[in-house]
Amino acid sequence: MGFFSKLQHDPPPTTTDYVERLEESPLGIDVEKNVKEVQLDDAGKNRAGQSQQHHVDPEAERRVVRRLDWRVPPLVGAMYLLSFLDRSNIGNARIAGMTKDLGLTSQRYSWLLTIFYITYILFEFLVIMWKIVPAHIWATGLIATLQASATSWQGEMACRFFLGATEAGFGPGIPYLLSFFYLRHELGFRIGIFLSAAPLASTFAGALAYGITSGHSSLANWRLLFLVEGLPTILLAPVVFFFLPDSPDKAKFLNEKEKIIAKARGVRQVGGEERVGGLDWKDVGRALLDAKCWFTALMYFSCNVSFSSLPVFLPTILTEMGFSAIDSQGLTAPPYFLSFLITILSTWIADRTQQRGLMLICLSIIGGIGYVLLATSTSTAVRYFGVYLAAGGVFPCIGNILPWVLNNQGSDTRRGTGMVILNVIGQCGPLLGTNIFPTTDGPRYIKGQSICAAFMFFNAFLALGLRTLLVWENKKLDEKYGPRVERVRSSTVDAGGKESVVAEENYGPTYRYIL
């Protein structure tokens, strides 16, 4: 606790933070008079050309955030949980009879994994479509279910091809969508909740797969697996269509006053620009030239080598350790549940301390050590402990890389472009990760484990490099605008005692990069 308190950085000031600062302020400002209602200039002008102003009560803002928390992260988390089951259940299907029925060799199975990521990468530009196309139309689940109809390796390849294309804009695009709803210091924890659905899905995927495939139905067990796990995604699609808001000010569950507050928060983020409906091509170019985007893209690549291979190969690895197929399915659950908890906890701590880089360094080292144990040890107990470390490092790393991209880009367009770069480069990692565990390397798979370990340690090095760059850039901003704390005190309140926060998170004078 003492360590993290030393690392604590003040988050960017919200309306609520501003009230608390004034209550403690030595400047003698009359809080009751000046802050009972906080005035925000929404883009400066309305359609009639007159000044448009909103008065935001701090407690009302808290209520809006709570209402968003109860509706948006749980819904997108449920979508991602089912999506992750759809893409990764092929590992369970492999040991449930698909290998025999489709005549899969080790190379053919690797191609089933690879073809998914080829189209995933080719269609990754769809991430930025969340700024152009309304979010509620994106849900689907038909292709995943159709995998049950494959009668040959070629047919399954076609299903995986189209599955990658339909998934490309969804999973990577949700964190971008969340950045429309939450401020910088609020975002990481919400993305952590969303991404924790991946290890949570993996936690019960084995048990669910065992329950589905242990019967004696007339349908092949692996076909039944694809059907049962694909149908819930289809059923969720209409729920998403009607209940997922495209932006905070369009949320049907907010009343008119709450929508005004949500809009005011958006003005504080990016100014008066339209959040959904178009791109600023100059900002696209600026993001492409920003080294920070390429640092995080390489980090994502490194993590994805391990992230993509662990769920689809872990049942096989455990089987090769000497466990039965049934036991292997069950033994995958505890490590994944640990990583589920760590994903949520680590993103929350990183938000509170504003130290995402240090968190990533620690998590990368933990994951790397896990893979070292898997590669070097011959003891089953030690290797299984290595699985805990690997899962506890890899999944939370992904959960912290994505918000780091969004934290350190100002406009909506720059954040979207950063996410495209992240995923186009980062999703090439699975092309390697899904091809480093051939059956000929069993039972220890030393080469694959060693490669994953090397990339996790490389990820720690990249996180240190990016953090060093951000420290340097923050020093330059301090030289230009003055120290951030002093700047907040002088610029948060204008001459009339009102809060001035238009586009503060879009490279305003108090903007500093999150380390």
Side-chain angles (χ1 to χ4, degrees):
M1 193 71 178
F3 173 74
F4 283 111
S5 65
K6 292 179 181 178
L7 297 178
Q8 179 76 39
H9 282 234
D10 292 334
T14 63
T15 304
T16 302
D17 296 331
Y18 170 60
V19 174
E20 293 171 349
R21 285 178 187 275
L22 287 181
E23 288 173 346
E24 300 170 358
S25 173
L27 301 178
I29 297 174
D30 187 340
V31 177
E32 190 68 28
K33 176 182 177 181
N34 291 313
V35 192
K36 190 170 185 180
E37 291 185 327
V38 179
Q39 185 178 39
L40 297 178
D41 183 351
D42 182 5
K45 301 288 182 181
N46 59 18
R47 291 185 180 180
Q50 296 175 342
S51 178
Q52 183 179 14
Q53 299 172 337
H54 295 314
H55 297 273
V56 180
D57 175 70
E59 186 56 39
E61 184 180 359
R62 291 192 189 98
R63 286 196 299 270
V64 169
V65 174
R66 283 198 296 268
R67 297 200 70 181
L68 292 173
D69 284 343
W70 279 107
R71 300 298 184 96
V72 180
L75 183 55
V76 296
M79 293 164 60
Y80 189 56
L81 185 148
L82 295 176
S83 169
F84 195 81
L85 280 176
D86 290 340
R87 76 165 76 167
S88 61
N89 57 9
I90 191 170
N92 300 112
R94 181 188 189 186
I95 63 175
M98 187 174 72
T99 298
K100 180 181 178 181
D101 290 353
L102 299 186
L104 298 183
T105 62
S106 176
Q107 186 178 20
R108 282 188 166 190
Y109 178 70
S110 293
W111 265 110
L112 289 177
L113 306 180
T114 302
I115 193 66
F116 171 88
Y117 285 104
I118 289 175
T119 51
Y120 202 77
I121 294 165
L122 291 176
F123 287 87
E124 206 57 68
F125 68 90
L126 292 174
V127 170
I128 206 166
M129 294 296 287
W130 291 81
K131 176 143 174 59
I132 302 172
V133 179
H136 66 275
I137 70 171
W138 284 81
T140 183
L142 184 61
I143 303 297
T145 308
L146 288 177
Q147 291 181 95
S149 66
T151 58
S152 65
W153 173 71
Q154 291 83 355
E156 182 65 18
M157 282 285 287
C159 288
R160 298 288 292 180
F161 177 92
F162 288 108
L163 183 63
T166 56
E167 292 274 0
F170 169 67
I174 289 290
Y176 180 44
L177 175 68
L178 291 174
S179 73
F180 288 72
F181 290 83
Y182 295 102
L183 303 179
R184 294 171 76 211
H185 70 284
E186 301 168 343
L187 184 61
F189 177 55
R190 277 73 181 187
I191 291 178
I193 293 174
F194 161 70
L195 288 174
S196 68
L200 181 61
S202 300
T203 297
F204 63 81
L208 180 61
Y210 170 68
I212 294 171
T213 60
S214 60
H216 301 282
S217 66
S218 58
L219 194 66
N221 286 336
W222 65 272
R223 296 184 191 277
L224 188 63
L225 178 66
F226 284 135
L227 277 176
V228 173
E229 293 191 351
L231 286 174
T233 310
I234 296 176
L235 296 176
L236 186 63
V239 177
V240 172
F241 184 84
F242 288 107
F243 293 101
L244 180 65
D246 301 325
S247 61
D249 53 308
K250 295 179 181 179
K252 296 178 182 178
F253 53 85
L254 298 179
N255 59 39
E256 289 306 312
K257 180 179 178 181
E258 290 169 335
K259 287 181 181 179
I260 291 174
I261 295 172
K263 179 66 176 176
R265 284 165 54 85
V267 171
R268 181 232 165 96
Q269 282 184 287
V270 296
E273 68 178 49
E274 186 67 29
R275 304 300 300 271
V276 179
L279 297 174
D280 183 335
W281 291 102
K282 289 184 179 179
D283 273 354
V284 171
R286 294 184 186 106
L288 289 172
L289 295 175
D290 190 345
K292 295 185 287 295
C293 291
W294 298 95
F295 261 99
T296 48
L298 289 174
M299 291 170 63
Y300 200 43
F301 176 94
S302 300
C303 283
N304 267 333
V305 172
S306 306
F307 179 76
S308 62
S309 59
L310 195 60
V312 294
F313 284 108
L314 186 55
T316 303
I317 292 171
L318 290 171
T319 301
E320 296 287 351
M321 286 185 188
F323 298 106
S324 67
I326 295 175
D327 289 340
S328 296
Q329 302 279 24
L331 287 171
T332 61
Y336 286 134
F337 187 69
L338 175 65
S339 65
F340 161 72
L341 297 176
I342 295 176
T343 299
I344 294 176
L345 180 63
S346 64
T347 51
W348 179 79
I349 292 174
D351 271 357
R352 296 293 295 174
T353 62
Q354 299 291 280
Q355 292 288 341
R356 207 164 297 281
L358 293 180
M359 182 61 69
L360 276 163
I361 292 170
C362 294
L363 292 170
S364 300
I365 292 173
I366 290 171
I369 292 173
Y371 279 110
V372 168
L373 294 178
L374 283 166
T376 59
S377 178
T378 56
S379 166
T380 300
V382 173
R383 297 188 74 209
Y384 186 54
F385 176 67
V387 171
Y388 277 86
L389 296 181
V394 171
F395 283 94
C397 271
I398 297 291
N400 280 278
I401 290 174
L402 270 67
W404 214 12
V405 179
L406 299 167
N407 285 158
N408 291 323
Q409 295 295 327
S411 71
D412 290 333
T413 298
R414 289 191 64 156
R415 284 197 295 273
T417 306
M419 292 300 289
V420 171
I421 296 171
L422 178 85
N423 285 282
V424 169
I425 302 299
Q427 295 297 347
C428 291
L431 298 180
L432 174 62
T434 54
N435 287 282
I436 57 178
F437 290 95
T439 54
T440 53
D441 286 355
R444 292 178 59 192
Y445 298 95
I446 295 176
K447 181 179 74 174
Q449 314 287 12
S450 300
I451 291 173
C452 288
F455 273 105
M456 291 306 294
F457 290 128
F458 181 54
N459 190 63
F461 173 76
L462 289 171
L464 178 62
L466 178 54
R467 188 181 185 280
T468 302
L469 173 63
L470 295 174
V471 169
W472 178 70
E473 292 201 359
N474 279 347
K475 287 182 179 179
K476 287 173 48 179
L477 291 172
D478 283 344
E479 292 173 0
K480 182 176 181 179
Y481 295 111
R484 180 181 177 278
V485 174
E486 294 180 10
R487 185 76 195 188
V488 167
R489 288 176 180 171
S490 62
S491 67
T492 301
V493 182
D494 64 21
K498 306 293 186 181
E499 187 176 16
S500 177
V501 290
V502 173
E504 188 274 338
E505 295 198 356
N506 191 3
Y507 303 112
T510 61
Y511 182 95
R512 297 295 182 272
Y513 296 105
I514 291 178
L515 305 179

